[in-house]
Amino acid sequence: KPVEVAKDVVFANHLDAADFKNKIVECSWNPEHQTWVFLRERTDKKTPNALNIYQKVKQSIDDNITEEELMKYIDDATKADLYNKDRDKKVSI
């Protein structure tokens, strides 16, 4: 039995939510209204994402990391000793 994790999905007025029961749909998150908004039915998928994928995607949305923050994190990480320790070693082939 599928797990209902996103019970509150907003559909456009011309759509009937009942038409999408037990179907895989794609939604976007509306942070202002704290709800999912229907985008389209996913007829290309036979099985839904696993629950942990949904939870990770939702956590990413909630984290609201900006591109600037991500780029700074990547820049800082690539400067760390972990990535730099082997750069000066010469490799013979």
Side-chain angles (χ1 to χ4, degrees):
K1 180 179 177 185
V3 177
E4 287 189 41
V5 291
K7 296 176 185 170
D8 298 319
V9 175
V10 174
F11 290 85
N13 289 336
H14 67 282
L15 296 174
D16 184 356
D19 291 339
F20 298 97
K21 184 174 180 158
N22 295 322
K23 296 188 178 182
I24 299 171
V25 298
E26 181 175 343
C27 299
S28 65
W29 180 249
N30 181 322
E32 183 180 336
H33 294 103
Q34 295 288 298
T35 189
W36 292 101
V37 179
F38 172 82
L39 295 176
R40 67 184 176 119
E41 181 180 356
R42 291 294 305 270
T43 57
D44 60 314
K45 293 186 76 167
K46 301 290 183 219
T47 57
N49 289 337
L51 177 60
N52 68 322
I53 299 299
Y54 164 81
Q55 291 168 331
K56 288 178 182 180
V57 168
K58 182 65 172 79
Q59 185 62 54
S60 293
I61 292 168
D62 292 342
D63 289 345
N64 196 27
I65 297 172
T66 65
E67 182 179 357
E68 182 180 313
E69 291 171 317
L70 180 60
M71 296 307 291
K72 181 180 180 333
Y73 179 84
I74 292 169
D75 186 52
D76 291 347
T78 57
K79 292 176 184 173
D81 287 340
L82 170 70
Y83 293 102
N84 292 318
K85 68 180 180 181
D86 295 327
R87 284 194 179 160
D88 295 330
K89 291 183 182 177
K90 297 197 190 262
V91 177
S92 337
I93 300 177

